Amino acid sequence: MTVARTGTEKAAAGATATESGETAAKAVRRRPKNRKAQIAAVAATAFSERGYHAVGVDEIAAELGISGPALYRHFPNKYALLVHAATSAADGLRTASAEALADASSDPRDRLERILTALIANTIDNRRVGGIYRWEGRYLEPTDRRRLREAFATVTEQVAAPIRQLRPQLSAEDATTLAAGALSVVGSITAHRTALSSRRTTSLILDACSAVVDTDLPPVEDSPKEPTPRGLPVTSKRELLIAEAVKIFDRQGYHESSIEEIGAAAGINASSVYRHFPSKADLLAAVFYRASDRLAAATAHALGSSSDRAEALEKLVDSYVELSFRTPAVLSVYFAEIGNLPQHERTNLRNIQRLHVEEWVSLVTAIRPDLSPPEARFLVHAALGLVLDVGRLVRFDVRQPDRLTAMMRAVLFEG
């Protein structure tokens, strides 16, 4: 049975509903005090995982349930988000290092361990945003890029200083190289998603850092090795396009490169480029598949020509360093630009990469049965990352590959 309400009751009910609606609206309109930090965190993760150019402001806003204009109240544009994300990540490392140094004793080993432990903890806490300063920093304007480099230079010096005390026979340059190697090992935590407890990750990475710091670096050769004869030049237009694309992607970045420019470098007009590659993304994918094929061939040779697993792992290290120094642009482009591939290509290439890594993991666990596969995977990623990070530091100087080989072996066999 329906009971009729009086006018007074209806008015009271209406007033209550209006008050409730106003209260709800105020609740919706109320912005959290940490909104700016929330926006920055979402942006940093997105930029790190998918790349600066691949992420739109509206996507960042939508993930937080806000509008684009609401985001612009905190950041005037997407570039401001990139600057904030990159510099915050770098400054976080610098702060962690400085605080650890303030609490350390005068003993150089204690200072080094405290600094590295603090940096590892910071990296674990910010694991999903590590790519923001490792790769996306190249899109910063010169002034902002300089600030990022200064932050890393400070951290590198704070690590190098106790190394010089522990190993006074080292030159300043060699101490810096070893410090950069240790920092690369720490940064490698962000390059994969293998799960380990924070305690075990810290212990494992700290041991790997110590192995790098204690590495006996071979002397730098006085003159470069004679270049390996390369035979006849490539005439295939497809191969020429891949070779030129690697150089241009590395120099300018994928989004700043054009099909016309790549075609011109290969001596081919733009319309002819499309006969070989339907899009720039297909050309980028071809670069990655070519690199994967070379790694697969090197792996097969190392395994097929070895009498035991230790020898196979040593040969894998040798071939990886040799390939990286011969074509360093491919390595840089792979790590920096894979997020620009279509999803299906990105997934396929990451699966190929995982299979490659697992070959290394299998050898490491056979040689070091005290390590679990996840632990070995951490070390493999650390060793592989060393080649790129330290290689870039020394500008892939052809006199220095033996030094990278020594550091990689230290991580895999002793770390």
Side-chain angles (χ1 to χ4, degrees):
M1 182 175 66
T2 302
V3 179
R5 291 190 292 180
T6 65
T8 301
E9 290 172 332
K10 290 179 180 179
T16 301
T18 300
E19 291 170 0
S20 298
E22 290 175 349
T23 301
K26 288 178 181 177
V28 170
R29 287 194 298 268
R30 187 178 299 120
R31 294 192 298 272
K33 294 180 179 179
N34 65 336
R35 175 65 82 199
K36 184 173 183 177
Q38 288 179 340
I39 294 170
V42 170
T45 300
F47 292 155
S48 180
E49 294 181 346
R50 291 189 287 139
Y52 173 64
H53 286 287
V55 177
V57 169
D58 289 341
E59 296 176 65
I60 297 170
E63 187 165 339
L64 289 163
I66 62 176
S67 65
L71 185 150
Y72 288 126
R73 280 197 288 268
H74 300 281
F75 296 95
N77 50 45
K78 189 169 80 165
Y79 179 75
L81 270 170
L82 176 65
V83 172
H84 186 279
T87 54
S88 294
D91 288 344
L93 289 172
R94 180 161 55 181
T95 299
S97 178
E99 290 177 349
L101 193 58
D103 293 336
S105 69
S106 59
D107 177 66
R109 180 67 68 179
D110 176 65
R111 282 192 290 129
L112 181 60
E113 183 171 326
R114 283 178 181 268
I115 292 170
L116 290 173
T117 300
L119 292 173
I120 293 168
N122 178 274
T123 304
I124 291 173
D125 289 343
N126 298 281
R127 190 174 185 182
R128 292 187 64 190
V129 302
I132 193 67
Y133 55 79
R134 296 186 84 190
W135 307 117
E136 303 309 312
R138 66 195 173 131
Y139 295 116
L140 295 173
E141 297 295 331
T143 300
D144 296 319
R145 195 181 308 130
R146 187 160 49 250
R147 178 183 169 188
L148 202 65
R149 287 174 178 168
E150 287 171 355
F152 285 118
T154 298
V155 174
T156 302
E157 172 54 28
Q158 288 172 336
V159 174
I163 293 176
R164 289 195 297 269
Q165 287 184 282
L166 288 167
R167 302 184 62 183
Q169 76 279 11
L170 290 175
S171 67
E173 182 180 357
D174 285 356
T176 298
T177 297
L178 293 176
L183 290 173
S184 174
V185 169
V186 174
S188 70
I189 297 170
T190 68
H192 58 99
R193 294 291 173 263
T194 303
L196 281 179
S197 69
S198 293
R199 178 178 296 180
R200 181 57 184 138
T201 298
T202 300
S203 174
L204 188 70
I205 295 298
L206 195 58
D207 286 346
C209 288
S210 295
V212 169
V213 168
D214 293 337
T215 300
D216 290 325
L217 294 175
V220 176
E221 297 177 18
D222 293 333
S223 58
K225 294 178 181 177
E226 288 296 320
T228 303
R230 298 189 182 279
L232 296 175
V234 173
T235 57
S236 163
K237 290 182 179 179
R238 179 183 174 86
E239 294 303 317
L240 282 171
L241 286 168
I242 291 174
E244 294 302 328
V246 169
K247 299 174 188 175
I248 293 173
F249 290 154
D250 181 48
R251 184 172 65 246
Q252 300 173 191
Y254 174 77
H255 284 273
E256 300 301 322
S257 307
S258 68
I259 285 289
E260 290 76 14
E261 188 175 12
I262 294 168
I268 302 169
N269 61 46
S271 60
S272 296
V273 174
Y274 289 111
R275 295 175 190 169
H276 301 278
F277 301 99
S279 68
K280 190 168 69 168
D282 289 302
L283 182 49
L284 179 63
V287 169
F288 292 157
Y289 283 117
R290 180 67 74 254
S292 296
D293 290 343
R294 289 172 180 167
L295 280 175
T299 300
H301 175 74
L303 295 174
S305 62
S306 300
S307 57
D308 58 51
R309 290 181 174 85
E311 182 185 1
L313 186 57
E314 288 180 350
K315 287 185 176 181
L316 269 183
V317 168
D318 293 343
S319 62
Y320 187 81
V321 172
E322 192 275 329
L323 276 173
S324 300
F325 271 73
R326 192 197 323 157
T327 55
V330 174
L331 197 61
S332 296
V333 170
Y334 180 86
F335 280 97
E337 306 292 0
I338 192 169
N340 290 308
L341 288 175
Q343 180 62 49
H344 71 283
E345 294 283 24
R346 188 162 65 246
T347 299
N348 191 41
L349 279 160
R350 290 204 185 280
N351 287 336
I352 292 173
Q353 182 198 31
R354 288 189 189 97
L355 291 174
H356 177 68
V357 167
E358 289 310 305
E359 289 283 4
W360 292 65
V361 169
S362 176
L363 293 173
V364 172
T365 52
I367 296 166
R368 300 180 58 183
D370 56 307
L371 295 175
S372 67
E375 291 168 339
R377 203 169 294 120
F378 265 83
L379 295 183
V380 169
H381 280 288
L384 296 176
L386 268 170
V387 181
L388 179 59
D389 292 333
V390 181
R392 289 197 300 177
L393 174 69
V394 301
R395 294 180 172 83
F396 287 95
D397 183 344
V398 295
R399 299 172 300 169
Q400 301 204 38
D402 289 347
R403 303 182 133 215
L404 272 298
T405 298
M407 284 191 277
M408 281 189 78
R409 289 180 176 177
V411 168
L412 296 171
F413 286 91
E414 304 165 23

